[in-house]
Amino acid sequence: MHAAGRHALELLARLGYGARGVTYCLVGGLAVLAAIGVGGQTGGSRSALLILLERPFGWILLGIVAFGLAAFALWRVVEAITDADAYGRSAKGLATRAGHLVSGVTYGGLGASMMTAALGRGTARQAEDQGARDWTAWLLQQPLGQWLVGAVGLIVIGAGLAFAWKAWKGDVCKRLSVPHDARDWVRHVGRFGYAARALTFGLIGGFLIAAALASRSSEVKGLGGALQTLRGEPYGWVLLGLTAAGLAAFGVFGLVQARYRRIEPPDLDAARRAVKDIAG
């Protein structure tokens, strides 16, 4: 890939990390406000981003974030296919790359939905968990559908456990080139953020397993549903507040990644060879 193309891909990746960071800051910040009773909301990414439309020139802001999410989706797919971060072909490496590929598809859908809303072609407010429920309903109708949905739930819980390990023992600064005097607070913020993601992924995976056991797609809930579940527990405002603060911390960590993450855009020929290997 020419130097200009590699530089453009790096810029898109950084814009993507920033857009993901803004999204988590909004989700977490709004949920913190809800936890302490001064407004806010316990919604997912879509409902949090749509808050931007209520601000002056909000459609421009939402459009920028939507473009950034699409850029992040592109980077995740490229990263997964070309192994830009050198995870390798071990079981752990392939699982990580598969997770990035799924992440790319997910953020691509979110970016497209938000761009549609920014252009005034629908607010997408009713689509918070509907997409997940639709594919769950489809999967349940397939042979061994309940087992498949349960397997997906276990995979999501597994991802949550991986985030928990990263929060406890992982080096969250491994791929960052942050100034030495900032590493401590970046590490603490990143670990707090991953801990919150671990909890929410665990709950979302649990909802999927419940859907499999009951054979009802209505049991499926996304991030907003996970936050609302925490709010309904005893001392729920404390659980919600801590988790929401962690999600906001992950958003801040994403902004740090946008600035300081080491990004190695792949060579175009290597990317083409990787695609051919997968296709054939």
Side-chain angles (χ1 to χ4, degrees):
M1 182 183 291
H2 296 300
R6 292 169 67 98
H7 183 61
L9 185 55
E10 179 182 349
L11 288 177
L12 286 174
R14 294 194 185 282
L15 177 61
Y17 280 109
R20 186 179 69 163
V22 169
T23 301
Y24 271 94
C25 283
L26 285 172
V27 171
L30 289 168
V32 166
L33 294 177
I36 61 179
V38 292
Q41 64 179 32
T42 52
S45 300
R46 284 178 169 81
S47 59
L49 288 172
L50 289 172
I51 292 291
L52 294 175
L53 290 177
E54 300 175 7
R55 302 294 181 262
F57 302 103
W59 67 274
I60 297 177
L61 296 174
L62 183 59
I64 293 172
V65 175
F67 179 79
L69 292 172
F72 187 69
L74 173 64
W75 169 246
R76 277 304 206 208
V77 172
V78 170
E79 185 182 35
I81 293 176
T82 65
D83 195 19
D85 282 331
Y87 286 107
R89 292 179 176 271
S90 65
K92 180 180 178 181
L94 290 175
T96 301
R97 291 167 65 184
H100 287 175
L101 188 60
V102 172
S103 172
V105 173
T106 301
Y107 281 105
L110 178 61
S113 175
M114 293 301 99
M115 185 60 74
T116 298
L119 295 174
R121 297 179 180 176
T123 62
R125 284 192 184 274
Q126 297 180 346
E128 186 72 59
D129 296 328
Q130 194 57 48
R133 288 171 180 162
D134 288 344
W135 72 255
T136 302
W138 176 83
L139 203 56
L140 285 171
Q141 294 173 0
Q142 308 309 308
L144 301 177
Q146 287 179 269
W147 290 96
L148 293 174
V149 173
V152 173
L154 290 175
I155 290 171
V156 174
I157 291 175
L161 291 174
F163 289 145
W165 176 259
K166 197 164 187 176
W168 183 35
K169 290 285 189 179
D171 183 3
V172 298
C173 294
K174 180 179 179 180
R175 300 183 186 277
L176 299 178
S177 298
V178 296
H180 182 73
D181 59 353
R183 290 185 70 86
D184 283 344
W185 76 262
V186 170
R187 183 181 297 108
H188 292 317
V189 167
R191 285 184 168 178
F192 187 25
Y194 276 108
R197 293 194 81 197
L199 178 58
T200 55
F201 267 63
L203 289 171
I204 292 169
F207 296 143
L208 283 164
I209 291 175
L213 292 174
S215 192
R216 288 199 305 267
S217 62
S218 60
E219 298 287 338
V220 175
K221 299 178 184 178
L223 178 56
L227 294 176
Q228 290 164 12
T229 297
L230 290 174
R231 191 177 191 179
E233 295 298 313
Y235 299 99
W237 69 274
V238 177
L239 293 173
L240 175 61
L242 287 173
T243 304
L247 294 176
F250 187 76
V252 173
F253 185 72
L255 298 178
V256 173
Q257 288 178 303
R259 172 64 178 85
Y260 292 108
R261 195 183 195 278
R262 291 189 294 274
I263 296 173
E264 297 292 338
D267 179 76
L268 183 58
D269 292 334
R272 287 173 176 167
R273 288 196 297 270
V275 172
K276 287 181 179 179
D277 289 343
I278 292 175

